[in-house]
């Protein structure tokens, strides 16, 4: 189940599914460690002897966010129980505190007692072994801990504190957990449990006929008892209602920090732009890691996840945030890459949020031959993104430091990692991580990275290297146009595969990532070769169903839903569809030519969840989210294309006015 709501502050990240269960809680890094691991931290309601958990079918749910904020706006109605509940969730922008407000309305025409229960199924440090859960009367709260991880839960209904509590064993020795104890409306009061444990607390409300009351619940996260004790006192002192208002105002000011003209975009498209900025912000760790996604539902299909920093994804996300006016949010990304860089000058496959090397399936040896387990575009695009950063925020001292430890080693590696007979980079893995060869996307990224390195070398007066990097960029461009464009097909190839003595086999599969040729400034979008390529992408990779959208490539196997390749070449991806919009934007010579990219932006909005969350890909028949959601790259690409659209719209509007004057 996709993560319909995400809230966080760069250190504490919390995800909810569409049934309102908290499914992921990451601390102390975004994406590391997950102390829930996909289990359910839920709430349930008891009234007049009847009970229902939030994920049961008798709840009607509406999941949204408050406008321009990282505060949720949720409505749930249960006609069987006769209850209407509005919910606001938020994570404090600075402190590691999660706050929930629930306004419970009694729909019955009589006074009733209502009890609300909250379950806590923590697996601290991603393990159920050795956890402790206990109620502490000193703070009138319950907390879980193990080593240097502490999670305190508390709440209030007016002046009333926790009504009942219980701790116990879960998923061991036949014990289901204390959540089962809640279903009769009462908790046993067990004060402590250790091992594989959970806990449940409850709050009591007495609601008059058609009346309502507010319940506040909070979770404080720290590295020791004093941390959570202090945070708990902070909430009580400031009051949770005051903190919620501050959080809402903070994020509203953050996302609207500068005025921007959005051309002819509708309010809905503008709202999704701002929502995307906010969601991207939740996926960026304070230490600089830009995480691909943090939806652990993917663990059902592969015993791994997306909670890694892929340098390519990070670089492209960073570019979007820089263009949107948030260079300070991604500045640490470049220092992260500096620390991660190998002594040979390349970046590895992916990294954990704490900077250590992530899991990988790229081998160091193949058929007895040593090879580098890399995707070279990941190294190149970091340099490309850094040039965007410098143009937006010209901090020469930062560049001087990074020149020696990041820019120069990366560029020198790319100069050496090269086949002179082909004027192309050596083989590496493609951006989809599925095959090894020489690819148009990778080569275009290397061209862009070397161009950026040449600019930096000139900036620090290293003219010898500037000339070398610039010359190699020109060489790579020549190789791309010679070997990766096929005249008979009239389009750029996905790539080529070496077969000895510099012979190679062409990969003729129609591929969306060849948009890189114009996106990374190798050729203009209006170039006939680009034009022919992208027209074939649009015709051949668009899903001929009611859903529409562009596939990654023909016969894409990843979560494949159809073998009817004429109609469904692959599942539509948000990013690939937006790449098509970007081409239409860059080649537009009149306002009428912006109609197609505007249609695509509307398409993206229509395919978002009600909360504004964008997934990686869609079911080509139902339009349901497939794979992870939210995908940071999807949101960042939407931001990038909106900015490109509005900029081009203004340029063409001015041009049309000038022509009318003349």
């Amino acid at each position: 189940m996709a993560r319909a709501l995400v809230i966080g502050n760069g250190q504490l990240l919390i995800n909810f599914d569409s049934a309102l269960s908290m499914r992921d809680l990451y601390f102390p890094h975004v994406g590391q460690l997950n102390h829930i691991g996909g289990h359910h931290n839920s709430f349930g309601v008891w009234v007049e002897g009847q009970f229902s958990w939030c994920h049961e079918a008798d709840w009607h749910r509406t999941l949204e966010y408050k406008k321009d904020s990282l505060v949720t706006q949720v409505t749930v109605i249960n006609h069987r129980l006769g209850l209407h509940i509005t919910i606001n969730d938020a994570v404090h922008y600075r402190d590691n505190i999660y706050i929930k407000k629930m306004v419970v309305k009694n729909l019955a025409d009589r006074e009733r007692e209502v009890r609300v229960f909250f379950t806590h199924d923590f697996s601290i440090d991603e393990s159920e072994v050795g956890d402790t859960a206990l109620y502490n009367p000193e703070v009138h709260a319950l907390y879980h801990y193990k080593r240097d991880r502490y999670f305190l839960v508390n709440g209030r209904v007016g002046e009333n504190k926790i009504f009942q509590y219980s701790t116990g064993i879960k998923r061991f020795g036949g014990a289901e957990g204390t959540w089962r104890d809640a279903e009769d409306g009462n908790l046993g009061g067990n004060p402590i449990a250790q091992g594989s444990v959970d806990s449940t607390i409850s709050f009591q409300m007495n609601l008059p006929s058609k009346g309502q009351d507010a319940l506040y619940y909070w979770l404080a996260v720290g590295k020791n008892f004093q941390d959570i004790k202090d945070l708990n006192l902070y909430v009580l002192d400031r009051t949770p209602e005051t903190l919620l208002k501050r959080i809402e105002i903070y994020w509203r000011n953050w996302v609207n920090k500068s005025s921007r003209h959005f051309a002819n975009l509708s309010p809905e498209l503008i709202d999704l732009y701002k929502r995307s900025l906010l969601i991207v912000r939740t996926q960026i760790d304070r230490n600089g890691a830009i995480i691909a996604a943090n939806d652990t539902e993917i663990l059902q299909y592969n015993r791994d996840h997306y909670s890694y920093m892929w340098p390519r994804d990070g670089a492209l996300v960073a570019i979007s945030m820089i263009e949107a006016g948030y260079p300070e949010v991604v500045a640490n990304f470049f220092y992260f890459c500096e620390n991660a860089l190998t002594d040979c000058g390349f970046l590895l496959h992916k990294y954990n949020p704490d900077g250590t090397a992530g899991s990988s399936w790229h081998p160091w040896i193949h058929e007895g031959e040593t090879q580098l387990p890399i995707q070279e575009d990941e190294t190149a695009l970091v340099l490309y993104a850094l040039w965007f950063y410098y143009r937006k925020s010209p901090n020469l001292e930062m560049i001087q430091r990074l020149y020696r430890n990041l820019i120069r080693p990366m560029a020198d590696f790319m100069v050496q990692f090269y086949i002179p007979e082909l004027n192309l980079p050596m083989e590496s893995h493609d951006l989809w991580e599925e095959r090894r060869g020489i690819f148009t996307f990778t080569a275009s990224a290397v061209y862009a990275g070397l161009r950026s390195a040449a600019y930096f070398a000139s900036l620090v007066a290293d003219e010898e290297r500037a000339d070398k990097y610039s010359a190699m960029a020109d060489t790579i461009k020549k190789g791309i146009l010679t070997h990766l464009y096929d005249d008979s097909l009239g389009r750029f190839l996905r790539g080529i595969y070496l077969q000895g003595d510099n012979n190679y086999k062409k990969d003729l599969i129609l591929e969306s990532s060849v948009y890189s040729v114009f996106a990374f400034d190798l050729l203009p979008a209006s170039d006939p070769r680009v034009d022919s390529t992208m027209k074939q992408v649009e015709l051949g990779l668009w899903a001929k169903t009611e859903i529409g959208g562009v596939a990654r490539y023909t016969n894409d196997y990843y979560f494949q839903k159809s073998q009817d390749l004429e109609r469904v070449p692959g599942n539509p991806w948000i990013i690939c569809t937006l790449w098509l919009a970007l081409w239409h934007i860059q080649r537009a010579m009149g306002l009428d030519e912006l109609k197609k990219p505007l249609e695509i932006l509307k398409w993206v909005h229509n395919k978002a969840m009600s909360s504004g969350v964008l997934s990686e890909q869609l079911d080509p028949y139902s339009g349901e989210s497939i794979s992870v959601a939210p995908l940071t790259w999807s949101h960042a690409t939407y931001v990038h294309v909106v900015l490109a659209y509005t900029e081009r719209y203004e340029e063409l509007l001015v041009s049309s006015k000038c022509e009318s004057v003349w």
Side-chain angles (χ1 to χ4, degrees):
M1 187 179 290
R3 302 311 186 233
L5 296 167
V6 297
I7 50 178
N9 63 8
Q11 189 172 29
L12 174 64
L13 174 68
I14 292 175
N15 298 337
F16 296 89
D17 63 23
S18 59
L20 299 179
S21 290
M22 184 188 295
R23 302 292 300 280
D24 306 296
L25 187 155
Y26 295 95
F27 176 83
H29 296 285
V30 173
Q32 187 185 5
L33 299 154
N34 190 343
H35 304 283
I36 298 178
H39 293 295
H40 294 74
N41 279 20
S42 304
F43 72 86
V45 181
W46 176 94
V47 58
E48 296 182 325
Q50 299 184 84
F51 189 95
S52 181
W53 292 108
C54 64
H55 48 76
E56 294 187 39
D58 52 353
W59 292 97
H60 301 276
R61 312 172 190 89
T62 302
L63 281 68
E64 297 176 337
Y65 288 89
K66 286 199 168 188
K67 185 177 176 62
D68 297 354
S69 184
L70 278 173
V71 178
T72 71
Q73 182 68 44
V74 174
T75 302
V76 294
I77 301 173
N78 191 309
H79 293 292
R80 178 174 65 87
L81 298 182
L83 294 174
H84 177 287
I85 305 176
T86 58
I87 302 172
N88 304 121
D89 304 276
V91 167
H92 195 276
Y93 48 85
R94 181 191 65 243
D95 297 310
N96 295 315
I97 303 168
Y98 158 71
I99 300 173
K100 178 189 287 287
K101 177 183 180 181
M102 302 178 72
V103 177
V104 183
K105 183 176 181 180
N106 177 14
L107 300 180
D109 57 2
R110 61 191 179 278
E111 181 178 346
R112 297 193 297 169
E113 178 191 2
V114 176
R115 300 177 187 176
V116 181
F117 294 78
F118 296 92
T119 67
H120 314 105
D121 187 352
F122 294 117
S123 295
I124 299 176
D125 285 353
E126 302 185 347
S127 169
E128 299 176 346
V129 177
D131 290 2
T132 299
L134 66 98
Y135 179 81
N136 187 331
E138 177 189 356
V139 291
H140 301 288
L142 189 148
Y143 64 92
H144 292 231
Y145 75 91
K146 180 164 61 185
R147 293 188 293 271
D148 60 347
R149 303 282 186 262
Y150 281 70
F151 303 86
L152 177 146
V153 292
N154 203 352
R156 292 290 186 272
V157 177
E159 296 299 318
N160 296 323
K161 301 172 183 177
I162 293 173
F163 176 60
Q164 292 180 334
Y165 64 85
S166 191
T167 67
I169 303 299
K170 68 183 181 189
R171 293 189 293 276
F172 184 77
E176 294 181 275
T178 59
W179 62 270
R180 183 64 79 185
D181 188 28
E183 293 180 341
D184 64 358
N186 289 288
L187 296 173
N190 184 42
I192 190 167
Q194 64 87 29
S196 177
V197 301
D198 78 331
S199 68
T200 303
I201 61 175
S202 69
F203 297 89
Q204 183 185 49
M205 313 174 81
N206 291 297
L207 302 180
S209 169
K210 308 296 184 182
Q212 65 184 39
D213 202 353
L215 183 162
Y216 295 92
Y217 164 90
W218 60 89
L219 166 68
V221 183
K223 295 187 177 181
N224 53 56
F225 177 70
Q226 193 62 47
D227 281 353
I228 58 173
K229 181 180 179 181
D230 291 345
L231 290 173
N232 182 55
L233 289 173
Y234 177 71
V235 176
L236 290 168
D237 181 55
R238 297 298 193 274
T239 77
E241 178 65 23
T242 298
L243 292 178
L244 274 174
K245 290 178 179 177
R246 289 182 181 178
I247 295 167
E248 181 180 354
I249 292 169
Y250 175 86
W251 288 117
R252 185 171 294 129
N253 290 337
W254 182 88
V255 83
N256 292 299
K257 72 172 188 174
S258 57
S259 60
R260 184 178 297 279
H261 183 57
F262 286 98
N264 65 336
L265 297 184
S266 67
E268 294 78 15
L269 297 183
I270 298 169
D271 285 347
L272 182 57
Y273 169 84
K274 294 180 180 180
R275 177 60 46 214
S276 292
L277 286 173
L278 289 163
I279 289 176
V280 169
R281 182 65 188 88
T282 68
Q283 307 301 300
I284 300 176
D285 187 73
R286 292 180 184 178
N287 289 346
I290 300 174
I291 306 304
N294 288 292
D295 175 359
T296 52
E297 198 73 10
I298 195 71
L299 291 172
Q300 293 187 34
Y301 308 99
N302 182 21
R303 295 309 294 169
D304 208 344
H305 47 71
Y306 280 42
S307 294
Y308 296 106
M309 197 285 285
W310 275 266
R312 168 191 49 261
D313 298 37
L316 295 175
V317 171
I319 288 171
S320 294
M321 295 302 284
I322 292 163
E323 291 176 322
Y326 297 89
E328 71 281 359
V329 172
V330 298
N332 283 342
F333 166 74
F334 300 106
Y335 295 122
F336 183 103
C337 293
E338 175 192 21
N339 293 329
L341 195 67
T342 64
D343 58 1
C344 294
F346 57 81
L347 289 168
L348 295 172
H349 180 180
K350 52 191 168 81
Y351 295 87
N352 294 306
D354 64 0
T356 56
S359 62
S360 180
W361 51 89
H362 297 338
W364 282 87
I365 188 169
H366 178 67
E367 296 181 351
E369 297 292 327
T370 300
Q371 62 183 29
L372 293 183
I374 65 169
Q375 303 162 37
E376 192 185 2
D377 64 286
E378 297 202 282
T379 298
L381 289 176
V382 171
L383 290 181
Y384 185 56
L386 184 59
W387 181 245
F388 272 85
Y389 179 87
Y390 179 77
R391 288 189 300 172
K392 189 74 172 183
S393 182
N395 182 345
L396 190 56
E397 290 187 2
M398 174 184 178
I399 297 305
Q400 183 62 53
R401 167 185 161 174
L402 291 176
Y403 185 72
R404 173 175 293 183
N405 299 325
L406 181 76
I407 299 168
R408 196 172 72 193
M410 282 182 163
D412 287 345
F413 166 74
M414 289 189 290
V415 167
Q416 297 164 9
F417 197 68
Y418 155 74
I419 302 174
E421 293 81 5
L422 297 176
N423 293 328
L424 286 171
M426 296 177 70
E427 289 184 298
S428 68
H429 296 274
D430 72 335
L431 81 159
W432 307 129
E433 311 175 317
E434 297 172 345
R435 55 196 61 85
R436 189 169 180 273
I438 302 171
F439 303 100
T440 296
F441 182 92
T442 304
S444 300
V446 170
Y447 167 82
L450 286 167
R451 277 281 173 224
S452 301
Y455 299 145
F456 283 124
S458 293
L459 196 63
V460 299
D462 189 352
E463 295 301 337
E464 181 179 349
R465 281 194 172 85
D467 291 342
K468 179 173 68 172
Y469 300 154
S470 181
M472 182 55 71
D474 290 339
T475 297
I476 296 295
K477 179 176 180 178
K478 179 181 177 182
I480 292 171
L481 298 180
T482 300
H483 300 289
L484 293 174
Y485 182 80
D486 189 284
D487 287 308
S488 63
L489 294 173
R491 61 176 167 87
F492 284 93
L493 303 170
R494 174 157 70 182
I496 57 176
Y497 306 104
L498 298 183
Q499 295 187 324
D501 298 326
N502 297 314
N503 294 318
Y504 57 77
K505 177 183 177 181
K506 296 180 179 181
D507 187 334
L508 306 181
I509 296 294
L510 189 59
E511 161 74 56
S512 65
S513 69
V514 294
Y515 91 106
S516 58
V517 173
F518 72 85
F520 301 153
D521 304 317
L522 188 86
L523 292 175
S526 58
D527 184 275
R529 290 161 292 189
V530 174
D531 190 72
S532 176
T533 297
M534 293 306 296
K535 285 179 178 176
Q536 291 184 58
V537 167
E538 184 168 23
L539 179 64
L541 294 182
W542 189 271
K544 283 80 172 177
T545 66
E546 291 182 1
I547 302 305
V550 176
R552 292 194 299 173
Y553 53 82
T554 303
N555 201 18
D556 182 359
Y557 73 93
Y558 190 47
F559 289 105
Q560 190 171 40
K561 296 294 183 180
S562 175
Q563 279 293 325
D564 182 4
L565 300 183
E566 287 296 318
R567 296 184 67 239
V568 184
N571 297 338
W573 281 51
I574 300 293
I575 58 171
C576 302
T577 309
L578 285 166
W579 293 343
L580 179 63
L582 188 64
W583 170 64
H584 280 288
I585 291 166
Q586 290 197 14
R587 71 189 289 269
M589 298 304 294
L591 291 173
D592 283 349
E593 294 181 77
L594 290 179
K595 291 180 179 178
K596 179 62 177 181
L598 181 58
E599 289 176 5
I600 291 176
L601 291 175
K602 292 177 180 177
W603 178 90
V604 173
H605 173 266
N606 291 336
K607 299 302 179 287
M609 301 174 71
S610 63
S611 60
V613 164
L614 296 174
S615 62
E616 178 183 73
Q617 48 185 299
L618 304 169
D619 186 299
Y621 298 104
S622 69
E624 293 180 357
S625 297
I626 293 178
S627 187
V628 294
L631 182 74
T632 311
W633 197 357
S634 293
H635 284 282
T637 307
Y638 180 81
V639 168
H640 179 66
V641 173
V642 165
L643 293 172
Y645 178 90
T646 55
E647 180 180 354
R648 189 63 180 145
Y649 184 95
E650 294 301 323
E651 292 171 351
L652 294 173
L653 185 62
V654 170
S655 177
S656 65
K657 288 179 178 178
C658 291
E659 289 176 2
S660 64
V661 171
W662 286 104

